[in-house]
Amino acid sequence: GAGDRVVGVTSFCHYPAETARIAKIGSYTQLNLEAIVATRPDLVFVEKSPLGFTERLRAMGLRVEEVNAQSAHALPEAIRAIARATGLPSEPLVEKIQTGLEQVRRSVRARKRVMFVVGRSPGSLDGLMVAGPQSYLDEILSIAGGENVFASAKSSYPRVSLEEVFARRPEVIIDMGEMADTVGVTDERKRAVVALWKKHPVIKARVFAVAEDYLVVPGPRVVEAARAFARMLHD
């Protein structure tokens, strides 16, 4: 409910449509401190990270609130923190999200072996990076009835080889690997991504090429993401 107060967003913020008209202040990992100061903010929200942005912004005399939205489990408290700082109610939205996720969880019976590709070399299956344990995507896929084939990896977003993919035999592959810039991705480009995987006869998985922000951005649309993943996993 604070949309009319927002004066700066990152270059990855595409939703709602009004964000197109708001000043861009950098990306997730590269903030433009001068651009932030130029918006003259009363309050800056920063996702908790080891990059030190909170300290740098506070050193510039800005009021900064850290939020942790890196998991579906943490999302309700992140929403509550934003609501407290802006003087707005949070529980209707929190309850809607929690109820929606529980409905998705209860709607699925079987579990499907799945992997989610978050990065790779454009036009090839080299340099694969996937969602691993204790990641936001791992949690949402689990709610949707998925069993992450890389749940035993040693990091939340490990780099893996194609041979490891073959060995772990996913039933469903969701690939967003070369579409971090989600704007203007065509169906033709998505078909080309699916074709990359289908060139390997050993891959028997159903493959989905995706380029939708709501699938990977923690926020109010998390229930939509869980429902979309459930459809992909369970046909």
Side-chain angles (χ1 to χ4, degrees):
D4 59 344
R5 300 190 229 167
V6 178
V7 295
V9 297
T10 77
S11 55
F12 288 106
C13 296
H14 304 133
Y15 177 88
E18 288 81 0
T19 58
R21 300 191 294 269
I22 299 174
K24 305 299 181 185
I25 51 79
S27 68
Y28 181 73
T29 56
Q30 292 182 312
L31 293 183
N32 184 329
L33 300 181
E34 292 76 15
I36 293 174
V37 172
T39 67
R40 301 175 64 190
D42 299 305
L43 173 62
V44 181
F45 288 108
V46 178
E47 185 165 6
K48 190 168 184 170
S49 80
L51 299 176
F53 292 137
T54 298
E55 292 75 14
R56 291 165 65 186
L57 291 167
R58 284 176 177 163
M60 299 169 70
L62 296 173
R63 178 189 170 198
V64 181
E65 294 284 345
E66 273 193 343
V67 295
N68 175 12
Q70 296 181 6
S71 72
H73 179 74
L75 188 57
E77 185 50 39
I79 292 171
R80 291 186 181 109
I82 292 169
R84 283 194 299 270
T86 53
L88 293 166
S90 62
E91 289 315 299
L93 177 57
V94 168
E95 290 175 9
K96 181 180 178 181
I97 289 173
Q98 292 176 327
T99 299
L101 291 178
E102 187 58 28
Q103 288 173 342
V104 175
R105 193 193 307 272
R106 291 182 177 182
S107 72
V108 295
R109 296 292 181 263
R111 303 196 72 77
K112 292 291 181 71
R113 295 171 57 79
V114 59
M115 64 176 281
F116 192 108
V117 180
V118 297
R120 57 177 171 74
S121 301
S124 79
L125 299 183
D126 297 327
L128 291 167
M129 180 181 289
V130 300
Q134 298 180 328
S135 65
Y136 171 76
L137 286 167
D138 178 70
E139 189 175 3
I140 301 304
L141 288 167
S142 178
I143 290 170
E147 177 186 333
N148 188 351
V149 297
F150 287 101
S152 62
K154 294 182 179 179
S155 68
S156 297
Y157 292 98
R159 291 195 177 275
V160 302
S161 67
L162 190 56
E163 288 71 26
E164 288 179 276
V165 175
F166 294 159
R168 299 194 186 218
R169 304 187 317 279
E171 297 172 271
V172 177
I173 295 172
I174 305 172
D175 189 332
M176 198 177 185
E178 61 180 79
M179 293 174 285
D181 185 357
T182 58
V183 177
V185 176
T186 64
D187 289 341
E188 181 181 9
R189 187 173 172 191
K190 290 182 179 181
R191 286 193 292 270
V193 169
V194 173
L196 276 177
W197 291 97
K198 293 302 184 181
K199 286 195 301 186
H200 297 275
V202 71
I203 295 287
K204 305 298 183 184
R206 286 184 291 123
V207 181
F208 296 89
V210 298
E212 288 74 34
D213 288 338
Y214 77 93
L215 294 176
V216 295
V217 177
R221 295 183 292 172
V222 62
V223 176
E224 294 177 51
R227 287 174 180 155
F229 286 141
R231 289 192 293 270
M232 295 178 206
L233 291 168
H234 304 290
D235 203 19

